[in-house]
């Protein structure tokens, strides 16, 4: 992902993302699971929290570009509770994306309601490392995939369990943790549709050199996007004043999963085509990506300065920002507020999520 000289440029840093292929019964790659990697030598992820999820999204969509990472294949991304319930909003549409519900998530009414909203918006759901009687059974009617740690499944009950899952017609089974030819033979025996594991392919770590956007510029952008009457020219100026931020927004705009029809070549075009709400969601994820180094007070001060809104846009139903007609005003695309929490509560949520 770049020459060695690029990696040593002043001001540049290295970003990493892991991807592990998921294969179909013919041995073709059907998709990739994207994985958090803190460095190029990391064998496994050392974090599976909101920060890690945000980090994976930001790197995949804005540093590499999703076409570079997964091409036209499915993209499986681990989700934490904050993203499932709408506390943090997904900045991309449902095309080619599968949201994995981690086995560590407590599936309560808020999670069920959030996942229901996501499915209604077109997202596909995978239940990761499915464990019986964990509460995740509540999500089976909403799921498109169930991922089973096959080596740790009870062989005497496997056939019965697979038959139960297939009682939900949309569900495909993903056998993961496959390490031996015997595991593959078991997949063939039971007609398991998708396979993932070291016997087929270990995770690959992709590395790229990047110049991070100026942190305060990101906070300034998020504040401007959240103003009561967001100003298009000011937003374009803020993004354009930071070359690294400009590249991130353009890569995000051109990533396959955001569903744009034409290639975006300018910041103004990105903002007009995608809408202020869409750009705002990316800005928020960029803040979550590095807010662990910011104090809560600094975050509140940066986001509640002059011209910023006193409320946060509605997050209860995470839907894609609809493109407006050519003659519509860009300001009409700013996010609306509907019985939202106070800004300070959202700032605290962002800061807390990043530090969990």
């Amino acid at each position: 992902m770049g020459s060695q000289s690029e990696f040593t440029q002043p001001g540049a840093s290295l970003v990493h993302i892991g991807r592990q292929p998921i294969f179909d019964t013919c041995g073709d790659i059907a998709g990739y699971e994207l994985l958090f990697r803190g460095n190029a030598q990391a064998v496994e992820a050392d974090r599976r929290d909101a920060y890690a999820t945000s980090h994976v999204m930001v790197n995949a969509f804005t540093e590499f570009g999703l076409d570079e990472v997964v091409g036209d294949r499915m993209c499986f991304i681990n989700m934490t509770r904050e993203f499932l319930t709408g506390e943090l909003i997904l900045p991309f549409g449902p095309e080619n994306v599968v949201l994995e519900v981690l086995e560590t998530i407590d599936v309560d009414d808020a999670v069920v309601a959030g996942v229901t909203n996501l499915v209604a918006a077109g997202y596909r759901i995978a239940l990761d490392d499915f464990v019986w009687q964990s509460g995740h059974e509540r999500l089976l009617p909403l799921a498109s995939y169930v991922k089973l740690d096959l080596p740790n499944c009870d062989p005497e009950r496997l056939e019965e369990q697979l038959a139960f899952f297939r009682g939900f017609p949309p569900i495909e089974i993903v056998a993961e943790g496959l390490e031996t030819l015997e595991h593959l033979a078991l997949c063939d025996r039971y007609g398991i549709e998708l396979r993932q594991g070291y016997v087929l392919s270990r995770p690959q770590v992709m590395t790229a050199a990047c110049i991070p956007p100026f942190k305060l510029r990101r906070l300034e952008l998020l504040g401007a996007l959240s103003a009561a009457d967001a100003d298009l020219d000011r937003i374009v100026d803020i993004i354009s004043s930071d070359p690294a931020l400009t590249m991130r927004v353009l890569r995000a705009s051109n990533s396959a999963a955001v569903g744009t029809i034409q290639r975006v070549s300018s910041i103004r075009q990105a903002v007009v085509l995608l809408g202020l709400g869409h750009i705002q969601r990316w800005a928020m994820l960029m803040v979550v990506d590095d807010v662990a180094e910011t104090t809560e007070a600094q975050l509140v001060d940066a986001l509640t300065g002059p011209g910023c809104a006193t409320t946060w846009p509605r997050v209860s139903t995470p839907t894609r920002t609809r493109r407006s007609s050519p003659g519509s005003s860009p300001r009409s695309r700013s996010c609306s507020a509907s019985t939202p929490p106070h800004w300070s509560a959202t700032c605290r949520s962002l800061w807390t999520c990043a530090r969990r």
Side-chain angles (χ1 to χ4, degrees), residues 218-231 234-235 238 276-277 279-281 283-284 287 302-315 333-337 340 343 346-347 350:
R218 276 179 282 191
L219 294 173
E220 183 183 0
L221 172 62
L222 187 54
L225 285 163
S226 304
D229 188 17
D231 184 276
R234 171 169 165 72
I235 289 165
I238 292 172
L276 299 184
I279 300 297
Q280 184 191 53
R281 294 170 191 180
M284 189 169 77
V287 170
L303 297 181
T304 57
C308 294
T310 57
T311 57
W312 184 248
R314 182 178 61 190
V315 299
R333 289 187 292 276
S334 60
C335 292
S336 61
W343 247 110
T346 298
C347 295
L350 284 172

Side-chain angles (χ1 to χ4, degrees), residues 310-324:
T310 57
T311 57
W312 184 248
R314 182 178 61 190
V315 299
S316 58
T317 304
T319 58
R320 293 181 58 199
T321 302
R322 173 180 274 176
R323 292 189 204 124
S324 54

Side-chain angles (χ1 to χ4, degrees), residues 90-219:
L90 297 173
F92 47 77
E95 297 85 0
N96 298 332
V97 174
V98 178
L99 311 179
E100 292 199 25
V101 180
L102 295 174
E103 71 280 5
T104 54
I105 291 175
D106 180 18
V107 178
D108 55 16
D109 290 344
V111 169
V112 173
V115 171
T116 300
N117 287 338
L118 288 167
V119 171
Y123 293 93
R124 281 165 285 191
I125 302 297
L127 305 182
D128 188 33
D129 282 344
F130 187 89
V131 177
W132 291 96
Q133 298 180 337
S134 64
H136 286 226
E137 294 90 345
R138 298 179 64 185
L139 297 179
L140 282 172
L142 299 168
S144 296
Y145 302 90
V146 169
K147 301 187 77 175
L148 292 179
D149 184 1
L150 193 66
N152 291 318
C153 288
D154 182 352
E156 295 183 358
R157 297 193 59 199
L158 181 58
E159 185 171 3
E160 175 189 353
Q161 292 174 349
L162 292 174
F164 180 80
F165 292 138
R166 291 184 173 125
F168 299 88
I171 286 181
E172 291 186 86
I173 310 299
V174 183
E176 57 183 353
L178 307 180
E179 297 184 353
T180 67
L181 294 178
E182 288 75 13
H183 293 157
L184 289 179
L186 201 59
C187 291
D188 290 336
R189 175 182 174 184
Y190 291 110
I192 294 177
E193 296 90 338
L194 299 169
R195 297 100 184 268
Q196 180 182 12
Y198 286 2
V199 69
L200 295 169
S201 176
R202 290 179 175 269
Q204 307 155 344
V205 178
M206 303 177 69
T207 299
C210 74
I211 300 177
F214 186 42
K215 186 183 300 182
L216 292 182
R217 189 71 71 212
R218 276 179 282 191
L219 294 173

